[in-house]
């Protein structure tokens, strides 16, 4: 009786159908996901092309995104290895095949090339790592080579149990024979491997219950050798002469089929047996790799290790200066902790290799393409940290932010990200010191955090000043040239023709000129196109510098004889006050940033029209300078929890919050049960109000909890305590128990709780405890806060204890995040400008009314006419009082808020009314911080920084 034919075509069709369903199921769970396969070929062999086309066709049928990467015959080994590395680092590719043989004119080490494939993408199963795992029996943790895997599938179709059977494998190649031996062995067969040197091969074959042949010799195994009823799997593909075929040859296996089928119980044909199974198993390995990828990168699935703090009491080199912890201890604490390699942390929190751009060992940028990958994932819980109206010394919002995330992560074992602003170098070398948190709750390394980071602020400086230079250059050239000369220079002849640049075409469209040929413009159109006609007195765009320099607050530019007397008064701002910084913080994508940069209004024409950076033709160049700055920076806390440091807009005249992009990416990474904690600058009347009314409007995000930081010191000041001045010892009222002063000052905390409640979000008060605070004082604040409507109020000691000192705060935040909330904005954008200002003044500051001074009234009329009246409001006022007067503490009442001017940040997307006066570039004190800063030339260690 003839053997039963095992049809590889039929079995492979079943496998492909199953794989197709698997891929469809993946896409249901993640619509943006498709398994990816790359077939890398060197040269152009016909047989390789045939095999590749079969693989690509099978991949398309299943739903695998397959790519044929073809390198020329001239490709060197180095070029092949480089191509493999690129594919290894591409997270959208889950399988990589190097098509053999490598058809190159250069000598290429096939073994080296094969082993260069990442084991996680080695769907051919040919790397030494996968082969080693197979040899050890780790079948669930490797890729099984496709042909042997297909053979096992075909044997399974027979219903014959492999366990306990005698199996013979003829051939010992790395592709078929050797892995086939291992597979049969780990399926509990007794296996013999035969080869060209085997004595009495026929006798060995005659003992086989299962025979697998892959020796590469046409019809070598004769039928009479085969044991009666054996399972025969023929892996051979050979060509022998056949005059009956048009090609003069036919394909046969390594087994003489006609005689073998008369003795075997089951047999595979050639062709139509093992061949189709090899392709099917390749597809199976690719789908398996994609499944493993999805399993490893489930939403919010972190495998994070935390850094254990070596707490010391008292804190290292802690000394009291004005009864405040001196920042000198912060740098020592920072250096006492060895940070995790940043690429390791990135992997722990679910970032892929190609999504991370390393800047040394402790910081990295995250590519924006992660947004698309994470888009289907649910967001985590969103927490904003703000504070009561602070003293000039600050009340520890940054320290509380970091302490809270360390508590939620390292101690409560929740996925958590901190999102904080990048500090300016102005304060670093001036008077304030760093902004990385403090004590045992800080971002590390603090030197890198406070010095340059990855150059984002420098990029903003470059972009801002390029625009400033463009403005004055344009004013000068328009003043010194005729319309025709100006036009000829703006649209010069190049290669015998004139062409508008894309940005110039945008300007034509804005002017309503529907022409693309520079020679077709009429004289009137040439004038309108070429002349921006900027009124020099209307220029609002200033130059910037990331240094405190008081002598640049008012300057005269254009004094060189080459500028022909075209001088004007101007000024410098500190870089973080640039509108480009605000754009960076509020943008949602590279395209959105490009559009915002284009819309920035820098001046007004003499006819009253706004002049933008797009009109000046510089907006594209600004985007180029900002292309890396838009990527959030990844760092870590002392306890190893992740931190995004991104953007640092001035909190007085801008919105004082870190970037929307960092928050959005972090919310996806932490998963639905995780937390993202972001910080809003200054007190709740400034940073928090702007966070809700500006940042949340543009991001579409809705916060779950407000954390309001309060201190005994600040509340005593609001109760009528003596003036608190940086650099002067604290009066005794602040270091001795005084419940009357404290209780009176709690009015400010009540007002800030009320301010948060205007937005319908639960409030948790974090009482940042200092060493001089008494238990009674801390308890009093907590009880008053709860009575005022706070969801909870918790004392914290995270400066001295790290996350352990903020566990109670973390638990309170976790409970509050599940409490009912009814988020709402404070005002409708369509209200008139003055009405929106009035609502903020009355509801948040407690003013009776506002007064628009003449310049402000003029701007209301101008911006309404120019179409900017529907922008949100970003109040620019002192952070030291709820009112416009810094010395008015507590909760001032009965005052009129004067608005002296209003300015427009159209690209960022807000109007900012000026309340009182404030410098937009700080000055250096008599003894700046830089006196203490130096570099050790031997170790390159920065000394004296904080």
């Amino acid at each position: 009786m003839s053997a039963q034919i095992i049809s590889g075509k039929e079995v492979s069709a079943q496998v492909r159908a199953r794989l197709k369903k698997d891929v469809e199921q993946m896409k249901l769970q993640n619509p943006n996901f498709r398994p990816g396969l790359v077939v890398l070929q060197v040269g152009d062999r016909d047989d390789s092309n045939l095999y590749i086309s079969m693989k690509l066709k099978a991949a398309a049928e299943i739903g695998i995104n397959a790519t044929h990467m073809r390198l020329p015959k001239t490709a060197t080994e180095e070029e092949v290895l480089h191509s493999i590395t690129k594919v290894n680092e591409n997270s959208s590719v889950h399988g990589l095949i190097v098509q053999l043989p490598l058809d190159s004119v250069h000598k290429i080490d096939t073994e080296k090339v094969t082993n260069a494939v990442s084991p996680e993408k080695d769907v051919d199963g040919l790397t030494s790592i996968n082969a080693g795992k197979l040899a050890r029996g780790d079948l669930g943790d490797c890729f099984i080579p496709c042909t042997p895997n297909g053979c096992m599938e075909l044997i399974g179709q027979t219903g014959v149990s492999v366990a306990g059977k005698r199996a013979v494998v003829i051939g010992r190649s790395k592709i078929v024979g050797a892995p086939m031996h291992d597979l049969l062995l780990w399926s509990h067969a007794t296996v013999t491997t035969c080869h060209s040197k085997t004595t009495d091969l026929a006798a060995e074959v005659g003992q086989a219950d299962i025979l697998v042949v892959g020796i590469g010799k046409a019809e070598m195994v004769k039928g009479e050798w085969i044991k009666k009823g054996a399972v025969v799997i023929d892996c051979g593909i050979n060509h022998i002469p056949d005059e009956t075929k048009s090609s003069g040859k036919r394909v046969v296996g390594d087994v003489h089929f006609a005689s073998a089928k008369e003795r075997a119980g089951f047999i595979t044909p050639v062709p139509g047996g093992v061949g189709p199974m090899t392709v099917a198993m390749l597809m199976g390995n690719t789908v398996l790799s994609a499944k493993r990828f999805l399993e490893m990168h489930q939403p919010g699935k972190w495998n994070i290790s935390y850094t254990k703090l070596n707490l010391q009491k008292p804190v290292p080199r802690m000394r009291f200066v004005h009864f405040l912890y001196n920042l000198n201890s912060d740098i020592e604490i920072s250096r006492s902790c060895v940070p995790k390699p940043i690429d390791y942390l990135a992997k722990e929190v679910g970032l892929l290799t190609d999504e991370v751009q390393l800047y040394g060992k402790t910081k990295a940028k995250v590519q924006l393409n992660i947004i698309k990958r994470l888009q289907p994932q649910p967001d985590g819980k969103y927490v904003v940290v703000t504070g009561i109206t602070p003293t000039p010394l600050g009340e520890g919002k940054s320290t509380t932010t970091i302490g809270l995330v360390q508590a939620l992560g390292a101690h409560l074992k929740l996925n958590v990200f901190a999102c904080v602003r990048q500090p300016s170098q102005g304060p670093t070398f001036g008077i304030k010191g760093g902004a990385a948190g403090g004590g045992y709750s800080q971002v590390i390394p603090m030197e890198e955090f406070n010095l340059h980071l990855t150059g984002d602020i420098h990029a903003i400086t470059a972009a801002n000043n390029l625009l400033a230079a463009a403005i004055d250059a344009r004013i000068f050239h328009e003043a010194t040239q005729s319309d025709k000369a100006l036009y000829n220079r703006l649209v010069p002849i190049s290669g015998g023709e004139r062409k508008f640049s894309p940005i110039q075409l945008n300007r034509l469209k804005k002017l309503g000129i529907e022409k693309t040929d520079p020679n077709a413009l009429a004289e009137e159109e040439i004038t309108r196109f070429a002349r921006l006609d900027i009124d020099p007195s209307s220029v609002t765009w200033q130059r910037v510098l990331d240094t405190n320099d008081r002598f640049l607050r008012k300057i005269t530019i254009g004094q060189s004889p080459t500028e022909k007397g075209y001088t004007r008064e101007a000024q410098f701002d500190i870089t973080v006050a640039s509108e480009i910084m605000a754009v960076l913080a509020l943008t949602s994508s590279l395209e959105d940033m490009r559009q915002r940069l284009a819309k920035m209004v820098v001046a007004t024409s003499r006819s009253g029209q706004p002049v933008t950076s797009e009109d000046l033709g510089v907006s594209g160049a600004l985007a180029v300078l900002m292309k890396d700055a838009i990527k959030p920076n990844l760092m870590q806390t002392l306890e190893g929890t992740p931190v995004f440091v991104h953007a640092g807009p001035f909190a007085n005249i801008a919105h004082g919050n870190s970037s929307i992009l960092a928050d959005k990416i972090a919310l996806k990474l932490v998963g639905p049960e995780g937390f993202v904690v972001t910080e809003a600058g200054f007190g709740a009347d400034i940073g928090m109000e702007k966070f809700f009314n500006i940042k949340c409007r543009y991001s579409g995000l809705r916060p779950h909890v407000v954390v309001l930081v309060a201190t005994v010191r600040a509340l005593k000041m609001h109760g009528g305590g003596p003036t608190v001045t940086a650099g002067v010892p604290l009066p005794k009222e602040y270091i001795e128990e005084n419940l009357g002063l404290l209780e009176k000052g709690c009015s400010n905390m009540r007002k800030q709780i009320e301010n948060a409640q205007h937005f319908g979000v639960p409030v948790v008060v974090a009482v940042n405890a200092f060493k001089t605070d008494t238990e009674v004082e801390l308890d009093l604040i907590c009880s008053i806060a709860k009575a005022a409507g706070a969801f909870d109020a918790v004392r914290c000691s995270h400066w001295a204890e790290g996350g352990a000192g903020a566990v109670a705060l973390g638990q309170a935040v976790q409970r509050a995040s599940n409490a009912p909330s009814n988020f709402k904005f404070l005002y409708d954008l369509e209200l008139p400008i003055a009405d929106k200002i009035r609502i903020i003044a009355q509801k948040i500051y407690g003013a009776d009314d506002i007064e628009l001074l003449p310049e402000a009234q003029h701007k209301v009329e101008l911006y309404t006419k120019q179409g900017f009246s529907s922008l949100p409001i970003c109040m620019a006022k002192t952070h030291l009082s709820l009112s416009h007067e810094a010395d008015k503490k507590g909760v001032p009442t009965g005052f009129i808020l004067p608005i002296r001017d209003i300015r427009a940040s159209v690209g960022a997307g807000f109007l900012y009314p000026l309340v009182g006066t404030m410098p937009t570039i700080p000055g250096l004190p008599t003894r700046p911080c830089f006196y203490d800063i130096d570099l050790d030339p031997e170790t390159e260690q920065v000394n004296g920084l904080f």
Side-chain angles (χ1 to χ4, degrees):
M1 186 176 179
S2 293
Q4 185 174 333
I5 306 299
I6 315 170
S7 172
K9 289 183 178 179
E10 292 178 8
V11 178
S12 66
Q14 295 169 15
V15 172
R16 291 199 302 271
R18 184 180 72 239
L19 294 174
K20 185 175 182 180
K21 288 181 180 178
D22 288 347
V23 172
E24 289 171 351
Q25 189 61 36
M26 289 184 205
K27 292 176 72 175
L28 281 176
Q29 295 173 359
N30 191 330
N32 292 329
F33 184 80
R34 277 184 79 185
L37 173 67
V38 167
V39 183
L40 176 62
Q41 179 186 15
V42 178
D44 193 30
R45 285 174 57 119
D46 289 341
D47 55 348
S48 292
N49 290 335
L50 177 62
Y51 298 144
I52 291 169
S53 66
M54 291 167 56
K55 293 167 185 175
L56 297 178
K57 183 179 178 182
E61 176 191 336
I62 291 166
I64 295 171
N65 186 22
T67 303
H68 182 189
M69 181 183 286
R70 191 195 300 268
L71 299 181
K73 289 186 71 168
T74 55
T76 63
E77 182 178 278
E78 184 179 351
E79 289 170 336
V80 175
L81 293 172
H82 177 69
S83 297
I84 290 172
T85 299
K86 284 179 65 177
V87 178
N88 284 342
E89 294 176 353
N90 186 343
S91 62
S92 66
V93 177
H94 310 102
L96 169 58
I97 308 163
V98 178
Q99 185 68 40
L100 300 177
L102 299 168
D103 181 26
S104 173
V105 296
H106 300 286
K107 184 179 179 181
I108 297 179
D109 185 338
T110 301
E111 185 77 6
K112 186 176 181 181
V113 166
T114 301
N115 278 312
V117 176
S118 170
E120 294 80 14
K121 299 186 179 186
D122 173 30
V123 290
D124 255 343
L126 299 182
T127 62
S128 297
I129 290 177
N130 277 317
K133 288 182 176 181
L134 176 58
R136 285 199 317 240
D138 297 337
L139 274 63
D141 189 34
C142 69
F143 287 111
I144 300 169
C146 302
T147 298
N149 204 8
C151 292
M152 292 301 292
E153 184 80 17
L154 291 172
I155 293 169
Q157 288 289 316
T158 67
V160 174
S161 173
V162 176
K165 297 294 191 299
R166 294 185 67 88
V168 172
V169 177
I170 304 178
R172 53 185 173 179
S173 73
K174 295 178 182 178
I175 297 175
V176 180
M180 193 71 231
H181 173 280
D182 294 334
L183 280 174
L184 288 165
L185 183 67
W186 294 115
S187 296
H188 311 297
T190 301
V191 188
T192 300
T193 297
C194 300
H195 44 79
S196 59
K197 304 296 183 183
T198 299
T199 303
D200 199 358
L201 181 60
E204 296 289 348
V205 170
Q207 298 181 59
D209 301 309
I210 298 171
L211 176 66
V212 181
V213 187
I215 196 69
K217 292 185 178 180
E219 299 182 329
M220 184 189 75
V221 177
K222 310 305 179 186
E224 58 267 24
W225 298 2
I226 295 170
K227 182 178 180 180
K228 194 77 172 172
V231 176
V232 179
I233 307 295
D234 189 352
C235 303
I237 299 179
N238 308 283
H239 293 88
I240 62 172
D242 187 341
E243 294 179 356
T244 66
K245 302 291 184 183
S246 59
S247 63
K249 57 185 178 180
R250 62 186 172 93
V251 176
V252 297
D254 292 349
V255 177
H256 188 273
F257 183 79
S259 60
K261 73 176 181 178
E262 299 304 321
R263 292 185 61 82
F266 299 89
I267 192 169
T268 57
V270 178
V274 174
M277 292 302 299
T278 300
V279 176
M281 292 299 103
L282 175 63
M283 299 302 118
N285 279 350
T286 304
V287 172
L288 174 61
S289 179
K291 285 181 178 178
R292 288 174 178 171
F293 176 88
L294 286 177
E295 174 65 24
M296 187 180 297
H297 298 94
Q298 287 178 18
K301 184 179 180 181
W302 289 11
N303 183 23
I304 188 167
S305 60
Y306 299 105
T307 307
K308 187 171 176 59
L309 294 178
N310 181 23
L311 296 175
Q312 297 183 43
K313 294 186 179 181
V315 174
R317 285 187 57 191
M318 183 183 75
R319 68 177 188 262
F320 287 96
V321 178
H322 327 311
F323 294 96
L324 288 172
Y325 300 125
N326 190 303
L327 288 172
N328 283 337
S329 60
D330 290 351
I331 188 69
E332 294 187 34
I333 293 170
S334 173
R335 287 177 180 163
S336 72
C337 178
V338 179
K340 293 182 283 189
I342 201 66
D343 55 339
Y344 182 76
L345 174 64
K347 187 175 181 181
E348 287 184 323
V349 302
L351 290 162
L352 307 178
T353 303
D354 60 336
E355 293 169 344
V356 179
Q357 184 178 347
L358 300 180
Y359 279 71
K361 296 180 180 179
T362 56
K363 56 188 185 289
K365 279 192 168 292
V366 175
Q367 308 283 12
L368 298 190
N369 58 10
I370 190 177
I371 295 171
K372 182 178 180 182
R373 176 173 73 84
L374 298 179
Q375 190 273 329
Q377 299 188 10
D379 286 350
K381 306 290 181 66
Y382 196 30
V383 179
V384 60
V385 177
T386 185
I388 63 170
T389 305
T391 67
L393 307 174
E395 309 316 309
K397 285 195 314 300
S398 298
T399 306
T400 302
T401 298
I402 303 306
L404 173 57
V405 299
Q406 290 182 164
L408 288 167
H411 299 272
L412 297 177
K413 308 305 180 187
L414 296 165
N415 293 349
V416 61
F417 245 101
C419 292
V420 298
R421 289 182 293 166
Q422 179 184 350
S424 164
Q425 285 183 178
T428 297
F429 294 105
I431 191 171
K432 182 182 177 185
Y440 286 102
S441 294
Q442 54 175 305
V443 181
I444 58 170
M446 73 176 302
E447 304 103 304
E448 295 187 25
F449 182 91
N450 286 285
L451 295 173
H452 301 286
L453 198 61
T454 56
D456 295 352
I457 291 179
H458 299 318
I460 291 166
T461 303
N464 185 100
N465 293 344
L466 175 62
L467 179 51
I471 296 165
D472 288 303
R474 188 59 173 263
I475 292 172
F476 172 80
H477 291 308
E478 287 191 21
T480 56
Q481 297 179 50
S482 67
D483 291 357
K484 185 175 181 181
L486 190 63
Y487 184 72
N488 287 341
R489 286 177 171 84
L490 287 170
V491 196
I493 296 174
S494 177
E497 64 174 344
R498 294 184 194 273
K499 286 182 69 176
F500 289 121
S501 72
I503 287 179
Q504 289 177 325
L505 290 171
N506 289 345
R507 173 155 173 77
L508 288 169
K509 188 175 181 180
K510 177 180 177 180
L511 294 170
I513 300 173
E514 299 295 331
K515 296 177 181 178
T516 57
D517 180 1
N519 300 308
L521 266 64
E523 285 189 19
E524 177 269 338
E525 291 172 331
I526 287 174
T527 299
R528 287 170 58 210
F529 171 81
R531 291 205 175 273
L532 300 180
D533 200 24
I534 294 171
D535 178 357
S537 67
S538 75
V539 174
T540 55
W541 195 263
Q542 311 299 346
R543 288 162 173 82
V544 299
L545 192 70
D546 196 34
T547 302
N548 290 0
D549 191 344
R550 67 177 66 247
F551 285 94
L552 294 178
R553 290 172 179 170
K554 185 69 71 174
I555 60 172
T556 302
I557 60 173
Q559 291 190 323
S560 168
T562 56
E563 274 53 77
K564 303 179 182 180
Y566 288 98
T567 64
R568 70 178 180 89
E569 281 194 346
Q571 69 183 56
F572 270 80
D573 294 336
I574 198 159
T575 300
V576 291
S578 169
E579 183 179 350
I580 296 178
M581 176 62 90
V583 166
L584 176 66
L586 291 170
T587 194
S588 58
S589 66
L590 199 55
E591 181 182 2
D592 177 65
M593 183 178 74
R594 171 66 177 80
Q595 293 171 355
R596 287 175 178 270
L597 292 172
K599 291 190 293 187
M600 293 188 305
V601 174
V602 300
T604 302
S605 70
R606 288 184 173 88
S607 64
Q609 297 302 309
V611 178
T612 67
S613 67
E614 184 91 336
D615 293 326
L616 286 157
V618 73
S619 52
L622 302 184
V624 168
L625 287 170
M626 293 294 293
K627 72 179 179 65
D628 287 324
I630 194 175
K631 303 166 188 173
N633 304 294
L634 179 66
M635 294 187 76
Q636 64 192 282
T637 69
L638 278 167
E639 297 192 53
T641 57
V643 180
F644 275 140
V645 185
H646 198 217
F650 220 47
N652 287 108
I653 65 170
H655 67 292
N657 284 263
S658 60
S659 79
I660 286 173
L661 278 170
D663 289 2
K664 283 191 167 184
I665 293 170
L667 283 163
K668 296 295 184 185
L669 285 170
V670 298
E673 301 304 316
F675 283 81
V676 170
V677 182
T678 190
E679 178 194 352
F682 292 149
D685 55 305
I686 297 183
M688 183 198 70
E689 181 270 314
K690 295 173 181 179
F691 170 83
F692 286 130
N693 283 319
I694 299 174
K695 184 175 180 180
C696 289
R697 281 188 200 270
Y698 286 119
S699 70
L701 300 173
R702 299 295 177 259
H704 294 78
V705 185
V706 170
V707 173
L708 183 73
V709 179
T711 61
V712 170
R713 176 184 67 200
L715 292 172
K716 285 181 176 178
M717 179 192 71
H718 288 297
T723 300
V724 176
T725 305
V728 177
L730 282 172
K732 64 181 179 61
E733 286 85 350
Y734 296 103
I735 58 176
E736 296 176 358
E737 187 175 287
N738 190 326
L739 298 181
L741 201 63
L742 178 62
E743 184 170 6
K744 184 179 178 185
C746 282
S747 60
N748 185 273
M749 178 179 66
R750 288 192 196 94
K751 175 58 179 166
Q752 299 289 29
I753 292 172
E754 176 190 306
N755 285 343
Q757 290 173 330
H758 282 310
F759 299 93
V761 181
V763 182
V764 174
V765 173
V767 185
N768 186 20
F770 293 169
K771 188 176 179 68
T772 53
D773 302 337
T774 69
E775 294 290 317
V776 177
E777 287 176 325
L778 297 171
D779 288 342
L780 178 62
I781 296 174
C782 290
S783 63
I784 291 175
K786 292 175 187 176
F791 178 88
D792 204 349
V794 181
R795 65 175 71 180
C796 310
S797 54
H798 43 274
W799 189 91
E801 299 178 35
V807 168
L809 175 61
Q811 292 168 333
V813 166
Q814 196 175 6
R815 292 193 303 272
S817 70
N818 295 316
S821 63
N822 181 28
F823 178 77
K824 54 185 178 295
F825 296 116
L826 193 67
Y827 53 79
D828 190 307
L829 287 180
E830 299 309 313
L831 288 172
I833 295 172
D835 288 356
K836 288 184 282 194
I837 298 172
R838 183 174 291 108
I839 289 171
I840 296 171
Q842 291 177 335
K843 290 192 174 182
I844 302 298
Y845 309 153
D848 286 350
D849 205 348
I850 62 170
E851 178 187 8
L852 293 178
L853 299 179
E855 184 61 26
Q857 184 60 51
H858 166 69
K859 292 292 181 60
V860 167
E861 294 166 2
L862 175 65
Y863 295 147
T864 301
K865 179 182 177 183
Q866 292 180 338
F868 305 143
S869 63
S870 62
L871 292 174
I873 301 298
C874 185
M875 300 292 285
K877 80 168 186 72
T878 178
H879 61 289
L880 297 173
S881 172
L882 282 163
S883 74
H884 58 291
E885 297 177 277
D887 60 342
K888 302 295 184 185
K889 306 302 180 184
V891 184
T893 57
F895 64 94
I896 304 295
L897 191 74
I899 310 299
R900 67 177 179 88
D901 195 4
I902 303 174
R903 294 177 186 168
S905 289
V906 178
F910 54 72
L911 303 177
Y912 60 102
L914 303 181
V915 183
T917 59
M918 65 195 71
T920 52
I921 184 167
L924 290 172
T926 304
R927 191 190 187 283
C929 295
F930 61 61
Y931 272 84
D932 302 309
I933 299 172
D934 209 338
L935 184 71
D936 186 321
E938 295 294 326
T939 64
E940 297 188 13
Q941 179 173 285
V942 177
N943 294 323
L945 191 65
F946 320 126

